[in-house]
Amino acid sequence: MRKRQVVLRRSEESSRDSVASSFTVRSVRYGECQKNHAAGVGGYAVDGCREFMASGDEGTTAGLTCAACGCHRNFHRRQVGTEVVCDCSSSP
């Protein structure tokens, strides 16, 4: 499951004629399941689920449950990818 979060950040230079704005685009991906199924007996065992797949639509409670292993999304490793895009323009 991929989730995109867009953060808008603008910064103005000291010059009146030029304005620089940068966009930070973050994409969130949930990887392998980290839930320890043997914690109750003092061991360590994961189920082998390699990637989070939502059971339902985003925004519902079913969207937070993995279709492959049945665990909550918080048990899956969160991987955030960040990209900064700068749109620089100046007027003559």
Side-chain angles (χ1 to χ4, degrees), residues 9 22-25 82-86:
R9 181 180 23 157
S22 61
F23 300 91
T24 303
V25 178
T82 305
E83 179 183 349
V84 178
V85 179
C86 181

Side-chain angles (χ1 to χ4, degrees), residues 18-76:
S18 67
V19 175
S21 60
S22 61
F23 300 91
T24 303
V25 178
R26 292 186 179 137
S27 61
V28 179
R29 181 179 169 273
Y30 293 93
E32 66 273 4
C33 185
Q34 299 294 303
K35 184 176 181 181
N36 183 4
H37 293 277
V41 294
Y44 180 76
V46 292
D47 59 8
C49 179
R50 302 292 292 163
E51 185 175 0
F52 176 80
M53 295 180 295
S55 295
D57 294 331
E58 188 172 335
T60 63
T61 55
L64 298 175
T65 304
C66 182
C69 65
C71 296
H72 192 272
R73 184 175 72 183
N74 288 344
F75 285 109
H76 290 260

